[in-house]
Amino acid sequence: QVQVVESGGGSVQLGGSLRLSCAASGSAATAYFMRWFRQPLGKERELVASIGSARTTDYADSVKGRFTIFRDSGVNTMYMQMNNLKPEDTAVYFCNVILPNGNYWGQGTQVTVSS
């Protein structure tokens, strides 16, 4: 059974940094894609960043130049370094893992940025 667990959320002030982690266990296969989504309170979930098995990356325009996504080699573990955080980055951040046998989500981790 695949489990996806996020960690690293918290509360920071404007301009601060956080690093989120995501680990998918229970599968011997390498994920095709690992992605971060976020959902601000009362709003829809949006794609923030993604990384493929070949380490190609893509970012939402709102986070380009501030967020960096990367993966450990050989395991389904992903990180996102978030710098220069803004109040509009406040949201629950979800890890999404696309494996050969399905699409899996974590429970989310809260990120709060205060001004």
Side-chain angles (χ1 to χ4, degrees), residues 4 6 22 31-38 47-52 58 69 71 78 80 93-98 103-105:
V4 178
E6 305 101 333
C22 170
Y32 295 140
F33 283 95
M34 298 186 76
R35 304 183 294 181
W36 287 104
F37 286 77
R38 67 186 180 188
L47 178 62
V48 177
S50 66
I51 184 165
D58 194 19
I69 189 172
R71 289 172 68 165
M78 168 179 69
M80 184 162 70
Y93 283 71
F94 296 90
C95 176
N96 173 242
V97 181
I98 302 176
N103 191 348
Y104 300 90
W105 292 86

Side-chain angles (χ1 to χ4, degrees), residues 2-78:
V2 176
Q3 288 189 318
V4 178
V5 178
E6 305 101 333
S7 61
S11 296
V12 296
Q13 291 190 326
L14 175 67
S17 297
L18 286 172
R19 178 175 290 190
L20 303 183
S21 300
C22 170
S25 60
S27 173
T30 299
Y32 295 140
F33 283 95
M34 298 186 76
R35 304 183 294 181
W36 287 104
F37 286 77
R38 67 186 180 188
Q39 187 167 17
L41 187 64
K43 297 184 178 181
E44 293 189 355
R45 194 172 295 189
E46 61 178 0
L47 178 62
V48 177
S50 66
I51 184 165
S53 56
R55 306 302 189 263
T56 54
T57 59
D58 194 19
Y59 298 92
D61 288 343
S62 60
V63 306
K64 282 181 181 176
R66 300 188 298 121
F67 291 10
T68 303
I69 189 172
F70 53 102
R71 289 172 68 165
D72 278 344
S73 60
V75 295
N76 293 324
T77 302
M78 168 179 69

